Amino acid sequence: MARLSAFGDLESTAATRIWDRILARSVNGDRLMLAVVELEPGAIAAAHSHENEQLGIVLRGTMDFRVGDERRLLGPGGTWRIPPNVEHEATAGSEGAVV
């Protein structure tokens, strides 16, 4: 059985379309996933929830982000924590965002 390397390159990872105008590249472990998500200007991640907790950070651009009843405009360095099963949604700013 071939052994997988502990190292990789995000640019060589295939992008997956997760919503209209939103692409994600992920690094997957056995029990953890890290994703870099690229949102075009004005792209919308519609309201949804999921069983897993989610953490994130804005690397570039801005996002109007809602988690439960709380809403924030996040820019570079802005972070979020979404507990399991809590509805959330986000809209990329006029320059798009990388999170």
Side-chain angles (χ1 to χ4, degrees):
M1 179 193 262
R3 181 174 168 210
L4 294 176
S5 175
F7 301 97
D9 181 74
L10 195 60
E11 290 300 319
S12 65
T13 302
T16 302
R17 182 175 174 258
I18 56 175
W19 269 290
D20 185 38
R21 303 182 319 144
I22 301 176
L23 299 176
R25 299 173 197 276
S26 64
V27 178
N28 298 291
D30 292 331
R31 297 184 297 166
L32 183 67
M33 177 181 76
L34 171 68
V36 174
V37 181
E38 303 164 8
L39 300 95
E40 292 182 20
I44 298 170
H48 66 285
S49 63
H50 33 74
E51 292 183 7
N52 59 297
E53 179 178 33
Q54 185 180 50
L55 303 174
I57 185 170
V58 177
L59 300 173
R60 194 168 55 234
T62 60
M63 291 193 20
D64 178 34
F65 211 113
R66 180 183 63 82
V67 176
D69 295 331
E70 191 174 0
R71 182 177 295 277
R72 294 275 170 91
L73 179 62
L74 299 176
T79 64
W80 63 87
R81 175 186 167 269
I82 305 168
N85 302 307
V86 172
E87 187 179 85
H88 53 284
E89 63 185 339
T91 302
S94 62
E95 298 171 4
V98 176
V99 301

